[in-house]
Each structure stands twice: as structure tokens, then as C-alpha cells.
Amino acid sequence: MHQKPDPDALGASLALANVLTRMGHSVQVVSPTNWPDFLKWMPGAKKVIDYESAREKGNAALDEAEWLFCLDFNALYRTKHMADKLKALSCIKILIDHHEQPESESFDYGISLTSKSSTAEMVYDFIKESGNDALISADVAACLYAGVIGDTGSFRFPATSPDVHEMVADLKRKGLNHSIVHENLYDNFLEDRLRFIGHVLLNRMEIFYEYNSALIAIPKEDLLKFNIKTGDTEGIVNYPLSIQGIKLAGLVIDRDEERKWSFRSKGNVDVNSFARKYFNGGGHFNASGGRSADSLRTTVQLFKKAIKENASQLQ
Ligand code: 5GP
Ligand code: MN
């Protein structure tokens, strides 16, 4: 899965691992980095190797693998410190992913469907189409459902097809408790995080009405002051899109090693291309990310220049 896994990356991986294990395979899930506390409830999460903090264990598992399933990313750099290791492995690499423009040469087999809501939906299809419907337990259903609600914004985004709703109906019949999953993901934070969001919306958000765009830039001092952990910043990028007329939102966080960008858009504003062109990133048409080695101030200036250059698409 990609670094700093979200509900889709971890949920799809744990669901697939659960099913493959019960088919008699020996399976190990490896994450390139740690994951947010709000994903710790996922069945199987405790056994996942965090490659960043347990590199030897991670390398041993990877060296032993005959098949490597690569889920919810399509370019090796998205696995950060694990990328060189994955590149050097000679085992069979199988991609299951829904992001734009896959780095096909890095994988031996796989499926890339940008129309799919989530990798979780693709794993669900994969389990069904391989004749293993009976292995979709309530635990598997919870992991898959988390991935779907994470990536569809709880069934809001355009990729929420009839198939998605049919899948959820099926998961409900298999024992899914959907309200517990929502609570685990969204009602499980510390007070600090909510105070932090209040601060950020009041003091760190800039609106550019002439370009229907918004920017939130978060300096390191804010992360320290509010004791912000992995996952606490998830979702903040969506707030500016709730303002009438705003079509593009950018969020940049000053992380130690890089400035990490998130982009979200509404309608026909293509933030996959935007992230690729200006911020060494990519993702989906309406949700993408990127990164910069520049200072926070410099990368913010580039964002302002970029929205001006794209004025015709934004206006
Ligand atoms: P988020 O803003 O939630 O981190 O990411 C939004 C979407 O863009 C996710 O599907 C994520 O996998 C993808 N994404 C985030 N950062 C990058 C990046 O640096 N490169 C690429 N190609 N995709 C990214
Ligand atoms: Mn995804």
C-alpha cells in the first residue's frame, strides 16, 4: 500500500490478506510507514509491519514473497523508503489500483481501473470473481466498507456507482455493522484535533475568489502546538470546497522531509494534472496529492502562480 495509508489502502490490503490467508496462503501485510490511530481497530492491523520502523522484519518478509500485491498506489515512489526495495525484488508483482496513469513497467500483472470508487471495491470484485464470495466475513466486510466510505466521502463523490451501493447491500447481508465503522473512523479523535481544525480554518485559510480557489498552509509550529499525529490532518482539505463557488482546494503541510500537498476539486477541474504539472504528484481527477522540497513560503507562491495560470479552467 502507499505510505501513510488511508482507510482504502489499509482496508483493501487487510481484506485481501484475510481472504488469501483463509484460502491457505501465507500472507504478510507491509505498510511503508505508520498509519493513523483511527485505523487501529481494523481486523488484522496489529500484525501489519511498519517498514519505516521495522525495516529488517519488512525486508525479510519481502525477500520471502513469491507474489507481491500492490494495492492503492500505482507508482513505486508512493511507497517512499520501500521503493528501492520493491524495485529490486524479482518476485511477481500484481497491481490492484484505481489511480490515474499507472507506472505499468513496475508491475507484472494487475488491474488499473480509474472508474472504480476505491481499491476496496476492486478487491471485493476480485474476491467475488475468483469464486470466493463465501470468504467475505463480517471482518472482511468492515475493512472493505471503510475503504469505500473513505474514498467516496461516504458516497458523495462521482465515482459512487450503482455497483458501489450493491456491494454495500451485499456486505450488510454478510454481517457488516456500518455505523460502528463510521464511528471508528470519524468519531474517535482527541480534543486537540478539533481545536486544531478551528485554528486552521480561522488563521491558515486563504480564499481566492477570482480563481474560485482556496489554500490552507500549515506551518510546523501548528503541528507541534496541537500535538498533531498521523491522520489528524485527514479531511481538512475538503472544508474550503463547502464555500459557494470554490472549485479547487489546496492544503500544504510542512513536514520534516518535505512539504506535502493535498488537492481536491469539484466538477471539471482536473487536480490529477494540476498535481503532476506543478507538485511532483498525481492521483485522481478530483482528489490528488503532491510534494515539494521547497520551503513552505516558496511552494505556496508556486500554488498562487499555478491557479493564475489555470484561471480559464477555474473561472
Ligand atoms: P490525500 O490528499 O488524501 O493524501 O491524497 C489524495 C489522493 O491522491 C489519494 O488517492 C492519494 O493516493 C493520491 N496521492 C497523494 N499524494 C500523492 C502523490 O504524491 N503522488 C501521487 N501520484 N498520488 C498521490
Ligand atoms: Mn484509494
Side-chain angles (χ1 to χ4, degrees):
M1 67 193 87
H2 59 74
Q3 63 135 331
K4 299 286 173 186
D6 55 11
D8 191 36
L10 193 64
S13 301
L14 290 174
L16 181 61
N18 185 310
V19 168
L20 290 173
T21 302
R22 281 184 297 134
M23 288 169 73
H25 296 284
S26 164
V27 186
Q28 176 62 55
V29 181
V30 183
S31 168
T33 65
N34 68 344
W35 49 93
D37 284 351
F38 63 74
L39 297 181
K40 294 203 164 145
W41 60 273
M42 281 189 174
K46 283 193 188 73
K47 288 195 206 139
V48 177
I49 295 175
D50 167 2
Y51 189 81
E52 202 167 29
S53 72
R55 200 174 281 222
E56 269 177 39
K57 229 171 127 190
N59 281 335
L62 291 166
D63 285 333
E64 232 187 306
E66 290 168 55
W67 291 0
L68 184 75
F69 284 91
C70 301
L71 265 59
D72 204 39
F73 70 95
N74 64 14
L76 294 185
Y77 82 85
R78 295 282 290 129
T79 65
K80 214 176 165 182
H81 304 300
M82 216 163 79
D84 288 339
K85 180 70 184 172
L86 295 190
K87 199 165 191 179
L89 288 179
S90 57
C91 68
I92 293 174
K93 295 169 195 158
I94 305 160
L95 175 78
I96 304 180
D97 179 68
H98 65 137
H99 292 90
E100 303 276 348
Q101 294 164 268
E103 189 180 86
S104 315
E105 66 278 13
S106 298
F107 309 97
D108 301 293
Y109 297 96
I111 181 154
S112 163
L113 287 174
T114 57
S115 63
K116 284 287 172 182
S117 67
S118 53
T119 303
E121 184 191 352
M122 299 176 74
V123 166
Y124 171 82
D125 292 345
F126 183 54
I127 298 168
K128 297 275 273 197
E129 285 164 21
S130 63
N132 290 291
D133 181 64
L135 293 177
I136 303 178
S137 61
D139 279 355
V140 171
C143 293
L144 294 176
Y145 185 73
V148 168
I149 59 171
D151 270 28
T152 62
S154 298
F155 310 109
R156 293 170 54 191
F157 302 143
T160 314
S161 63
D163 285 350
V164 170
H165 289 285
E166 271 159 13
M167 162 186 166
V168 173
D170 185 36
L171 296 181
K172 284 293 293 173
R173 289 191 190 98
K174 291 177 158 67
L176 168 69
N177 186 334
H178 69 279
S179 49
I180 293 286
V181 175
H182 281 267
E183 257 177 54
N184 284 335
L185 290 181
Y186 301 118
D187 303 332
N188 208 2
F189 294 104
L190 300 180
E191 177 185 340
D192 273 342
R193 181 200 175 245
L194 207 57
R195 303 267 179 214
F196 170 73
I197 292 175
H199 162 74
V200 159
L201 296 182
L202 192 62
N203 303 308
R204 304 295 186 213
M205 183 172 71
E206 245 184 295
I207 311 290
F208 308 93
Y209 285 105
E210 65 276 44
Y211 305 112
N212 297 313
S213 298
L215 165 70
I216 296 175
I218 303 179
K220 219 173 284 178
E221 71 205 55
D222 290 0
L223 304 178
L224 294 173
K225 185 176 170 199
F226 290 90
N227 192 25
I228 291 307
K229 301 187 303 300
T230 298
D232 284 346
T233 52
E234 182 112 3
I236 296 178
V237 64
N238 293 302
Y239 283 98
L241 289 184
S242 68
I243 301 170
Q244 242 174 35
I246 298 302
K247 290 191 203 166
L248 182 149
L251 168 86
V252 57
I253 300 173
D254 194 358
R255 302 262 181 229
D256 292 327
E257 65 278 23
E258 63 188 9
R259 264 44 62 207
K260 185 75 188 103
W261 280 95
S262 283
F263 304 102
R264 297 292 185 275
S265 67
K266 284 194 294 215
N268 59 4
V269 175
D270 174 7
V271 288
N272 167 51
S273 303
F274 187 84
R276 258 170 224 275
K277 182 165 176 196
Y278 298 99
F279 298 100
N280 307 302
H284 308 290
F285 193 90
N286 292 123
S288 66
R291 62 223 149 95
S292 170
D294 296 337
S295 68
L296 189 61
R297 180 195 285 265
T298 304
T299 195
V300 159
Q301 276 163 356
L302 177 59
F303 177 84
K304 292 179 183 174
K305 184 169 163 261
I307 56 174
K308 271 186 204 133
E309 281 181 17
N310 287 274
S312 60
Q313 202 198 142
L314 290 164
Q315 280 159 349

